[in-house]
Amino acid sequence: VQVDADFAPVLEKLGEPLSYFEAASCAFEGLDKTYTYSGFQIITYPDGEKDCVSTIVLKDDSVSTAEGVSIGESKERLQEVYGSGSEEGNMIVYAKGDMKLCFIMQNDEIASIEYRSKVLEV
């Protein structure tokens, strides 16, 4: 799954989500949609006739980043893998192309991981 990619082919492969929610988009014309699966959540934004991935949220340690970092790991481990990122409150952020990789920290442990599209920064 890639941020800003068309979600339709991904949805076809992932199948029916555990839950689904939609609401009028604040930033775009159409609906923002949230698909919740076991261990992760995908949020989309409307882009013409298609829905594109705006955010991928890793919710537990059953999934990890491509580099092998998962929820529950230490800040030290995170920085070993990614280096030092930009600290914004309780979040450590790494810019990667047109997206941000955000690690939400709690007591120096990763509590949540989010891939966010920069298209949302309007």
Side-chain angles (χ1 to χ4, degrees):
V1 181
Q2 291 185 334
V3 171
D4 294 320
D6 183 0
F7 184 60
V10 176
L11 178 58
E12 191 174 305
K13 287 181 181 175
L14 289 175
E16 193 71 27
L18 296 174
S19 68
Y20 169 79
F21 175 78
E22 63 184 37
S25 178
C26 295
F28 303 94
E29 195 162 315
L31 298 172
D32 290 333
K33 299 173 182 175
T34 302
Y35 300 83
T36 302
Y37 294 90
S38 179
F40 65 98
Q41 187 174 63
I42 297 173
I43 304 168
T44 66
Y45 64 92
D47 184 18
E49 294 297 313
K50 62 184 178 181
D51 292 319
C52 294
V53 176
S54 65
T55 309
I56 303 162
V57 182
L58 306 186
K59 300 173 76 69
D60 63 35
D61 64 358
S62 68
V63 287
S64 65
T65 67
E67 296 78 13
V69 175
S70 60
I71 290 172
E73 294 195 59
S74 68
K75 181 177 182 179
E76 181 179 303
R77 163 87 170 118
L78 170 65
Q79 292 176 332
E80 283 174 12
V81 174
Y82 290 99
S84 58
S86 166
E87 296 202 27
E88 301 174 12
N90 69 332
M91 194 165 50
I92 300 175
V93 179
Y94 299 87
K96 295 181 79 174
D98 288 335
M99 63 152 224
K100 288 183 173 182
L101 176 53
C102 307
F103 294 88
I104 292 81
M105 306 301 292
Q106 186 173 36
N107 301 323
D108 284 338
E109 282 191 356
I110 300 169
S112 181
I113 301 170
E114 298 182 9
Y115 291 88
R116 299 179 184 173
S117 171
K118 288 187 179 178
V119 77
L120 301 176
E121 297 175 3
V122 231

